[in-house]
């Protein structure tokens, strides 16, 4: 008899997506399992379907067929907000609000799904330090941030609410090598500070980075995950 600890965090069965305009298949039937503690890296050429797959897992784009299960159960429409709290998607180019970094970090707590949580300036300051930033980083204007700093802020905004899974969609593709390593360090610290239930999927165009951030290596080719 399986236990909760044996149940994968995410399981997909025959997940499929088509592009009706171009009459092409973006994602061939994909069966995938993500268990607690796993760090998965997905590489592949541009247009191969890496982001299509990740956005489907994040429930950001619809699929044409297949099932996504969270902890052994299909996700009902009413359960989507709770799922997105546990499974966080990090885009390549983060959206930042007007105001300071702290204003951006406080924003999630204005949402209904986080009504039971509270902003902790000391904690986010520690996360900023993990990425090589001083506490005054929180006071910087979002409009003045470099690309790397904006991505750090966006990642802290997610990490502070304790997700179980990170879906990282080429988060360092537009950053210089030093900034990319800072993002990698912040994600690594998140794993080290947590427990075995945490997991990540990191889509990267850089094979060397994929080896650093993923213990399990997958390749996407023409919409097929292998």
């Amino acid at each position: 008899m399986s236990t909760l600890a044996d149940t994968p965090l995410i399981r997909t069965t025959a997940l499929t997506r088509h592009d009706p305009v171009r009459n092409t298949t973006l994602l061939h039937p994909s069966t995938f399992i993500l268990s607690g503690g796993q760090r998965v890296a997905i590489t592949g050429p541009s247009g191969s379907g890496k982001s299509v797959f990740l956005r489907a897992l994040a429930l950001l784009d619809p699929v044409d067929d297949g099932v996504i299960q969270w902890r052994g159960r299909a996700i009902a429409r009413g359960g989507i907000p709770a799922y997105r709290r546990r499974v966080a998607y990090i885009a390549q180019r983060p959206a930042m609000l007007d105001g300071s970094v702290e204003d951006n970090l406080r924003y999630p707590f204005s949402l209904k799904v986080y009504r039971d949580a509270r902003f902790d300036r000391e904690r986010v300051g520690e996360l900023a330090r993990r990425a090589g930033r001083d506490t005054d980083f929180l006071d910087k204007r979002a409009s003045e941030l470099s690309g790397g700093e904006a991505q750090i802020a966006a990642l802290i905004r997610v990490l502070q609410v304790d997700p179980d899974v990170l879906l990282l969609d080429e988060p360092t593709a537009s950053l210089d090598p030093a900034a990319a390593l800072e993002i990698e360090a912040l994600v690594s610290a998140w794993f080290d500070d947590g427990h075995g239930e945490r997991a990540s999927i990191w889509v990267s165009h850089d094979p060397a980075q994929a080896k650093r951030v993923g213990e399990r290596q997958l390749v996407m080719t023409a919409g097929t995950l292998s």
Side-chain angles (χ1 to χ4, degrees):
M1 181 176 180
S2 65
T3 65
L4 183 60
D6 299 323
T7 303
L9 296 176
I10 296 175
R11 180 194 299 269
T12 73
T13 304
L15 209 61
T16 310
R17 188 171 180 211
H18 303 290
D19 182 345
V21 176
R22 294 183 293 173
N23 193 31
T24 58
T25 299
L26 302 176
L27 185 64
H28 290 279
S30 298
T31 297
F32 170 81
I33 291 175
L34 180 71
S35 299
Q38 288 190 331
R39 306 185 193 196
V40 178
I42 301 178
T43 55
S46 297
S48 61
K50 303 185 300 297
S51 292
V52 171
F53 178 66
L54 213 63
R55 289 181 61 85
L57 291 185
L59 304 184
L60 294 175
D61 294 333
V63 294
D64 295 289
D65 201 2
V67 175
I68 301 174
Q69 291 182 321
W70 171 247
R71 296 184 179 274
R73 296 185 178 183
I75 305 159
R77 182 178 295 274
I80 291 176
Y83 174 81
R84 287 179 174 160
R85 177 172 179 170
R86 306 264 51 97
V87 179
Y89 176 83
I90 310 295
Q92 182 180 140
R93 294 179 176 83
M96 301 295 290
L97 305 172
D98 290 336
S100 67
V101 170
E102 182 170 329
D103 291 334
N104 277 266
L105 300 184
R106 285 182 176 275
Y107 172 72
F109 302 99
S110 68
L111 304 177
K112 184 177 179 181
V113 71
Y114 297 113
R115 63 183 179 275
D116 62 327
R118 295 290 182 272
F119 176 73
D120 185 338
R121 184 180 170 91
E122 182 177 347
R123 184 183 182 196
V124 297
E126 176 58 28
L127 288 170
R129 285 190 287 274
R130 293 291 186 92
R133 297 296 183 275
D134 295 328
T135 304
D136 60 4
F137 174 67
L138 305 182
D139 301 319
K140 294 189 69 170
R141 306 296 296 178
S143 59
E144 298 172 352
L145 299 179
S146 67
E149 288 175 328
Q151 192 61 281
I152 287 170
L155 188 53
I156 292 173
R157 186 169 56 192
V158 166
L159 298 183
Q160 68 176 337
V161 294
D162 295 320
D164 295 322
V165 176
L166 293 183
L167 304 177
L168 299 129
D169 195 356
E170 299 200 53
T172 65
S174 60
L175 306 183
D176 62 52
L181 289 174
E182 289 171 342
I183 296 298
E184 291 177 25
L186 192 51
V187 173
S188 181
W190 171 74
F191 265 105
D192 293 342
D193 292 345
H195 46 79
E197 284 290 280
R198 289 180 172 176
S200 67
I201 306 174
W202 192 312
V203 165
S204 178
H205 67 284
D206 180 356
Q209 181 184 63
K211 289 181 180 179
R212 291 195 301 269
V213 303
E215 298 167 347
R216 177 183 169 196
Q217 303 289 320
L218 299 175
V219 177
M220 183 74 78
T221 306
T224 299
L225 189 64
S226 61

